[in-house]
Amino acid sequence: CASATESTPAVEEALRFYASSGDEARLTALLERGIVNVMATDEGGKIAMSLANNGGHTACVTLLEEPMNKAYEEACASATESTPAVEEALRFYASSGDEARLTALLERGIVNV
C-alpha cells in the first residue's frame, strides 16, 4: 500500500484491516493519503467504519467519521432517487446523531423510509 496512488482492492483491504484491528497509526497514514475508498466493502458487505465500531475501536471510528461524511455527501449530492449509498448515508446520519445532515437528506424526498 505504501506505493499505491489510488484505491485498489489491496488498499481497501488494508483500510478495513487497520480499522478492525484498531491500528490508529496506520489508519491515519492511509486516510491522510486521500486515495482510499472508505465505502469499499468486504465479502460480507461491511465497511471499515462498521468493522471499527464492531471491534470497539472508538478512536478509529472517530478517524473515519470525516471521510465517511464526505463520501456520503458526494454519494447523495447528485442522487435523484434512493440508492444503496443514500440508504447507508441515512442510517449513518441517524446512528451518529447528525440531525442537520439527516434532515437535509430527508427533505430531498429521495429516501425510502
Side-chain angles (χ1 to χ4, degrees):
C1 296
S3 62
T5 58
E6 62 184 26
S7 195
T8 65
V11 170
E12 293 162 359
E13 186 170 335
L15 173 80
R16 290 188 300 271
F17 177 76
Y18 300 153
S20 67
S21 63
D23 191 334
E24 297 170 47
R26 288 192 173 120
L27 181 61
T28 298
L30 189 57
L31 291 170
E32 286 177 349
R33 293 181 56 207
I35 62 166
V36 68
N37 174 9
V38 294
M39 301 279 285
T41 60
D42 65 8
E43 307 81 38
K46 299 232 183 215
I47 60 175
M49 176 69 87
S50 298
L51 296 168
N53 194 40
N54 291 347
H57 306 296
T58 55
C60 290
V61 169
T62 300
L63 288 170
L64 287 161
E65 282 177 346
E66 184 179 331
M68 290 299 301
N69 276 327
K70 182 178 178 189
Y72 286 134
E73 286 174 2
E74 289 172 0
C76 295
S78 61
T80 57
E81 61 184 30
S82 188
T83 65
V86 170
E87 298 295 327
E88 180 64 28
L90 176 73
R91 287 189 291 277
F92 178 72
Y93 296 152
S95 68
S96 65
D98 192 334
E99 291 182 35
R101 286 187 173 107
L102 180 61
T103 300
L105 185 57
L106 290 171
E107 287 176 348
R108 291 194 46 215
I110 61 170
V111 180
N112 298 324
V113 288

